[in-house]
Amino acid sequence: MQWRGSGFVVLSWWYLVAGIAAAGVLVIGFVDVRWGGRIVAAAFLIGALIRLVARPSRKAGGLNVRSRTLDVVILLALGLGVLLASATVNLRADVSDRTPVGRTSR
C-alpha cells in the first residue's frame, strides 16, 4: 500500500460532506428536527453532485467508494430519504391520552 500524503488530501471532499452532515445532526439535537434533517439531506445531495462531476474519480476523495453510478444513486437515495423523513415527522403527537405500558384501561 502506498501512502499518498496526509489524510486530508486522501479524503478531500468527504470532509465537506461529513462536516455539513455533522452540523445537521447538531441542529437536529439542539434546534429543530426538520431543519436539521434538511441540512443532513443537503449534505448527501451535495456529496452526490460532487461524486457525479468529479473527474477523474480520484478527485472525489473519500466519496469514491464504488462505481460512480452506484455512489451517486446511493447518495441521492439517502438524501431524498432523509429529506422525506424530516418533512413527515410528526412534531405534534399527542401522547397524553395513551394508556401506560402494562396497564389496561377500564
Side-chain angles (χ1 to χ4, degrees):
M1 183 168 105
Q2 185 180 16
W3 182 253
R4 289 181 19 194
S6 71
F8 186 78
V9 175
V10 174
L11 295 179
S12 65
W13 289 108
W14 182 88
Y15 288 113
L16 174 70
V17 174
I20 295 171
V25 170
L26 288 174
V27 170
I28 288 172
F30 295 111
V31 181
D32 184 43
V33 172
R34 288 191 175 143
W35 276 104
R38 291 174 188 150
I39 294 170
V40 172
F44 285 128
L45 296 174
I46 289 169
L49 180 66
I50 291 170
R51 181 65 178 107
L52 181 65
V53 300
R55 303 267 195 255
S57 290
R58 68 176 179 269
K59 294 284 187 182
L63 299 174
N64 183 12
V65 178
R66 297 162 201 88
S67 68
R68 181 184 314 272
T69 305
L70 188 58
D71 284 343
V72 170
V73 167
I74 289 172
L75 287 168
L76 282 175
L78 287 171
L80 294 175
V82 170
L83 187 62
L84 181 66
S86 68
T88 59
V89 67
N90 185 5
L91 300 175
R92 306 266 187 229
D94 186 19
V95 293
S96 62
D97 293 338
R98 293 187 178 175
T99 304
V101 176
R103 292 188 181 179
T104 57
S105 59
R106 295 179 188 192

